[in-house]
């Protein structure tokens, strides 16, 4: 829906000939760079000043870097930034003893070295299964942050994969997912990584147990030997890991939340797929964005700028939805990853001291261009919903072909640029069915090309933007109590399947009985 009372985007450009200089920001990542174009939003200098003035918890940003317990509901530090701390990464590269690092940094340092050694043995073929064959397939079993981040990154960095290694992901408790993976793998050559902080997550344990059962059936070997040779764990609960029969495990810590954990051993599948050197580059890129976020003034600080822009649309223009469209096939899973990162972090109403009287996190959805143009762009251009659009666009391709007058990448790039332009300018016509109102905001994030470092910086940008929004809204972006009730009730429903479903609402009872009628 076009807001008739809002100054138009075209008017903002007319009123300020220096608009592109003010509202296109650049972050250099080694030899590469990211460019954040906010010119096609309704932000201007005065509006930015007002948003900053209303940001009461601005000093809270330092709390993360000062290692304060900013996860105030669970009384925990929030230190995913320690996972890519510059000093830690330099110590790993120098192969030093890490004595100059603080406690949390030493934990990260030791785990990174352990991951490097494991990947080295994996690449050399020194990690073998029960039949003596080299392990080549990697199956990550986890859910939420133990799945979405690694899954997105391995797909995004497929261009940099190691020869002969295949990676698969199992998350949903539907056994179809596991069965499909087993049709793609040779069990004799497969390593399973079971990722769960508590090692009690229902979906992960059920899927890991099913995988162990199927391995036992196919290899005709005792499951204890299979668990020892074909399974590794990433968890904070060593006792439960040992009960499962897994001998080789990597650590997780309370100071890192699941949806911010891909930089840790949770990203072991990434390490084995693209190699430790590329994984280190991913971490270095994130570290660059960390430094930018901590040290750059607001007007040039991209996580803060984007947070304020999205807050403006959420709280003052009643936009409740952001559509993320990557004009890069490698980033086709980015919006899915960001759905958890953003909505699990900021989909909340409880504040430091009560409840909000304002809107918080946006609904995140999206797809990949140009497929999306033939799917839901009709709604974006002519629909009645207010949607903030975010377009991601590489400036150089990793792959390209030319079979027409222009290359595939040139056509892809042209479409991405054209869509942001069309959302802004619209078109006038007396035919109401062909009228485009324009003045629909969009953000365009360009990057020179998709390297591990660039991807690391991009993900860290989103993490910090989410944090800033949480501070502005006075909510805790680092807990997730909203996922607990459904899990609790699911256990009750399971008990009702085994027994008579009494003491439940009529609808729930009917659904349970409907299921029972088809399973007699």
């Amino acid at each position: 829906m076009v807001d008739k009372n809002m100054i138009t985007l075209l008017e903002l450009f007319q009123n300020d000939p220096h608009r592109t200089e003010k509202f296109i920001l650049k972050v250099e990542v080694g030899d590469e760079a990211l460019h954040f174009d906010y010119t096609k939003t309704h932000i201007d200098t005065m509006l930015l000043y007002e948003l900053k003035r209303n940001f009461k918890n601005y000093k809270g940003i330092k709390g993360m870097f000062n290692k304060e317990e900013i996860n105030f509901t669970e009384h925990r530090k929030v230190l995913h930034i320690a996972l890519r701390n510059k000093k830690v990464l330099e110590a790993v590269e120098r192969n030093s003893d890490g004595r100059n690092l603080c406690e949390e940094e030493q934990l990260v340092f030791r785990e990174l070295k352990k991951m490097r050694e494991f990947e080295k043995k994996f690449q050399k073929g020194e990690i073998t299964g029960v039949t003596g064959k080299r392990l080549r397939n990697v199956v990550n079993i986890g859910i939420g942050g133990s799945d979405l981040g690694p899954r997105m990154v391995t797909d995004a960095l497929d261009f940099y994969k190691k020869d002969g290694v295949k990676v698969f992901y199992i998350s949903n408790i539907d056994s179809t997912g596991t069965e499909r993976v087993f049709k793609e793998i040779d069990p004799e050559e497969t390593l399973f990584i079971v990722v769960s902080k508590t090692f009690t997550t229902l979906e992960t344990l059920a899927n890991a147990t099913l995988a162990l059962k199927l391995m036992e059936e196919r290899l005709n070997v005792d499951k204890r030997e299979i668990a020892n040779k074909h399974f590794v764990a990433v968890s904070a609960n060593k006792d439960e890991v040992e009960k499962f029969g897994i001998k080789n495990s990597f650590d997780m810590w309370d100071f890192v939340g699941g949806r911010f954990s891909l930089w840790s051993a949770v990203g072991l599948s990434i390490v084995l797929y693209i190699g430790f050197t590329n994984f280190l580059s991913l971490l270095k890129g994130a570290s660059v964005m960390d430094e930018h976020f901590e040290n750059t003034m607001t007007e040039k600080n991209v996580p803060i700028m984007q947070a304020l822009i999205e807050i403006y649309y959420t709280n003052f223009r009643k936009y409740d939805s952001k559509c993320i469209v990557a004009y890069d096939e490698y980033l086709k899973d980015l919006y899915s990853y960001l759905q958890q990162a953003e909505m699990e972090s900021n989909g909340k109403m409880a504040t430091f001291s009560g409840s909000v009287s304002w809107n918080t996190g946006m609904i995140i959805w999206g797809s990949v261009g140009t497929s999306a143009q033939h799917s839901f762009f009709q709604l974006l251009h002519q629909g009645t919903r207010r949607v903030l659009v975010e377009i991601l666009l590489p400036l150089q391709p990793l792959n390209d072909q030319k079979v027409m007058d222009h290359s595939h990448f040139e056509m892809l790039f042209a479409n991405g640029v054209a869509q942001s332009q069309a959302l802004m300018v619209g078109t006038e016509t007396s035919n109401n069915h062909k009228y485009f109102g324009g003045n629909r905001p969009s953000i365009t994030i360009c990057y020179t090309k998709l390297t591990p470092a660039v991807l690391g910086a991009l993900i860290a940008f989103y993490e910090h933007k989410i944090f800033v929004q949480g501070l502005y809204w006075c909510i805790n972006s680092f807990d997730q109590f909203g996922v607990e009730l459904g899990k609790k009730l699911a256990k009750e429903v399971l008990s009702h399947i085994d027994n008579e479903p009494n003491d439940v609402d009529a609808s729930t009872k009917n659904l349970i009985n409907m299921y029972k009628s088809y399973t007699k």
Side-chain angles (χ1 to χ4, degrees):
M1 179 183 291
V2 179
D3 191 333
K4 300 295 185 182
N5 298 317
M6 187 190 298
I7 185 170
T8 69
L9 296 169
L10 290 176
E11 288 170 339
L12 287 170
F13 276 95
Q14 292 167 1
N15 295 343
D16 186 357
H18 302 291
R19 183 166 179 78
T20 56
E21 297 169 23
K22 295 176 183 176
F23 297 111
I24 297 179
L25 307 181
K26 179 181 180 182
V27 178
E28 293 182 349
V29 185
D31 295 332
E32 309 299 334
L34 293 105
H35 303 262
F36 298 81
D37 184 352
Y38 300 120
T39 60
K40 294 189 183 77
T41 69
H42 293 87
I43 199 77
D44 60 20
T45 304
M46 184 59 68
L47 180 57
L48 180 61
Y49 171 78
E50 288 297 320
L51 289 166
K52 284 167 51 184
R53 192 168 64 87
N54 290 328
F55 190 2
K56 306 301 183 185
N57 294 319
Y58 186 86
K59 292 181 180 179
I61 291 173
K62 292 296 181 184
M64 178 188 289
F65 294 95
N66 292 337
K67 301 178 183 177
E68 298 171 13
E69 290 183 349
I70 59 173
N71 179 346
F72 58 88
T73 55
E74 298 175 306
H75 308 290
R76 293 174 179 171
K77 300 174 184 178
V78 177
L79 293 179
H80 48 275
I81 55 173
L83 302 176
R84 64 269 183 139
N85 179 279
K86 189 175 181 179
K87 289 191 301 180
V88 173
L89 302 185
E90 289 175 349
V92 171
E93 283 196 302
R94 292 196 312 268
N95 206 25
S96 71
D97 56 17
R99 288 181 183 176
N100 63 327
L101 302 174
C102 73
E103 180 183 357
E104 292 91 356
E105 291 166 352
Q106 284 186 354
L107 292 172
V108 175
F109 170 73
R110 288 195 291 269
E111 210 63 18
L112 282 172
K113 289 181 70 175
K114 185 176 177 181
M115 291 162 67
R116 180 174 62 187
E117 289 305 307
F118 189 81
E119 187 264 342
K120 189 182 296 182
K121 290 180 180 179
F122 183 82
Q123 289 299 332
K124 287 182 176 179
E126 296 174 5
I127 298 177
T128 57
V130 294
T131 64
K133 282 191 175 183
R134 173 181 183 173
L135 301 187
R136 303 174 185 273
N137 304 309
V138 177
V139 180
N140 188 95
I141 301 176
I143 199 163
S146 300
D147 167 77
L148 291 166
R151 184 192 293 261
M152 181 273 290
V153 172
T154 51
D155 198 52
L157 298 181
D158 182 71
F159 183 81
Y160 304 92
K161 67 182 179 182
K162 292 288 186 178
D163 292 338
V165 181
K166 292 182 180 179
V167 65
F168 304 88
Y169 289 89
I170 297 172
S171 62
N172 193 1
I173 203 168
D174 188 337
S175 62
T176 303
T178 302
E179 291 171 6
R180 282 180 169 176
V181 167
F182 267 80
K183 290 178 181 178
E184 299 288 329
I185 62 172
D186 179 349
E188 293 184 66
E189 299 180 343
T190 301
L191 173 72
F192 294 86
I193 306 171
V194 186
V195 187
S196 172
K197 181 179 284 187
T198 63
F199 222 75
T200 58
T201 307
L202 175 64
E203 297 92 337
T204 301
L205 280 186
N207 285 329
T209 303
L210 175 58
L212 185 58
K213 174 178 176 287
L214 294 175
M215 288 287 284
E216 188 178 23
E217 291 173 356
R218 283 157 174 74
L219 297 177
N220 197 27
V221 175
D222 186 271
K223 65 181 182 182
R224 288 171 295 185
E225 189 177 351
I226 294 171
N228 183 32
K229 299 283 282 186
H230 288 265
F231 282 72
V232 299
V234 182
S235 180
N237 193 339
K238 301 304 180 188
D239 291 339
E240 290 298 323
V241 169
E242 289 180 11
K243 284 181 187 178
F244 192 88
I246 297 175
K247 304 299 183 186
N248 195 355
S249 65
F250 295 80
D251 285 337
M252 297 176 75
W253 310 284
D254 281 343
F255 58 78
V256 178
R259 57 188 174 275
F260 303 97
S261 65
L262 67 86
W263 322 97
S264 69
V266 170
L268 185 60
S269 59
I270 305 171
V271 174
L272 299 181
Y273 193 58
I274 65 172
F276 187 81
T277 300
N278 281 325
F279 183 74
L280 209 59
S281 295
L282 179 81
L283 270 56
K284 288 179 182 177
S287 181
V288 169
M289 187 59 72
D290 294 343
E291 291 186 1
H292 168 87
F293 176 53
E294 183 180 18
N295 300 318
T296 306
M297 59 185 289
T298 299
E299 292 80 2
K300 299 295 181 182
N301 191 311
V302 290
I304 296 177
M305 277 289 289
Q306 179 136 342
L308 293 176
I309 290 169
E310 291 185 17
I311 287 164
Y312 167 69
Y313 284 110
T314 302
N315 295 128
F316 301 101
R317 291 298 176 181
K318 306 305 180 187
Y319 282 60
D320 59 8
S321 164
K322 185 173 78 164
C323 177
I324 299 170
V325 183
Y327 282 78
D328 188 333
E329 188 70 18
Y330 285 119
L331 291 182
K332 68 179 188 297
D333 289 334
L334 178 65
Y335 81 92
S336 181
Y337 162 75
L338 290 174
Q339 283 178 327
Q340 187 207 17
E342 300 221 18
M343 291 194 284
E344 192 170 85
S345 295
N346 288 338
K348 294 160 186 171
M349 63 177 69
T351 69
F352 303 133
S353 57
S355 298
V356 298
S357 57
W358 48 86
N359 286 334
T360 57
M362 284 186 176
I363 298 166
I364 304 298
W365 57 291
S367 185
V368 64
T370 59
S371 301
Q373 295 174 200
H374 298 268
S375 173
F376 52 72
F377 265 63
Q378 167 66 44
L379 181 146
L380 298 180
H381 285 292
Q382 291 187 309
T384 59
R385 303 289 183 179
R386 293 182 176 184
V387 182
L388 177 62
V389 178
E390 183 172 290
I391 291 172
L392 291 104
L393 198 58
L395 301 174
Q396 296 174 279
L398 296 178
N399 304 290
D400 200 13
Q401 297 286 339
K402 186 174 182 180
V403 294
M404 297 181 178
D405 292 339
H406 293 278
S407 75
H408 274 66
F409 178 73
E410 288 172 336
M411 291 186 282
L412 182 74
F413 180 82
N415 271 274
V417 173
Q419 289 301 323
S420 70
Q421 182 184 22
L423 287 164
M424 176 175 70
V425 301
T427 183
E428 294 287 342
T429 176
S430 58
N431 185 336
N432 193 42
H433 297 287
K434 296 184 178 181
Y435 171 75
F436 289 70
N439 197 36
R440 295 175 184 247
S442 67
I443 294 166
T444 302
I445 301 174
C446 295
Y447 44 94
T448 46
K449 62 174 179 284
L450 191 62
T451 66
V454 165
L455 181 63
L458 181 65
I459 298 169
F461 152 74
Y462 283 113
E463 290 179 342
H464 295 319
K465 183 216 69 165
I466 290 164
F467 173 40
V468 172
Q469 289 174 314
L471 287 173
Y472 197 98
W473 289 321
C474 303
I475 60 178
N476 181 4
S477 299
F478 304 107
D479 62 20
Q480 54 279 330
F481 295 112
V483 306
E484 296 302 323
L485 178 59
K487 288 158 64 174
K488 174 178 176 289
L489 292 179
K491 292 179 181 178
E492 294 181 11
V493 171
L494 283 171
S495 70
H496 293 319
I497 289 175
D498 297 329
N499 304 291
E500 188 63 26
N502 297 318
D503 302 321
V504 294
D505 62 89
S507 174
T508 301
K509 184 174 183 178
N510 182 67
L511 289 169
I512 293 169
N513 286 333
M514 192 185 305
Y515 165 76
K516 286 185 172 183
S517 71
Y518 282 95
T519 55
K520 288 180 179 178

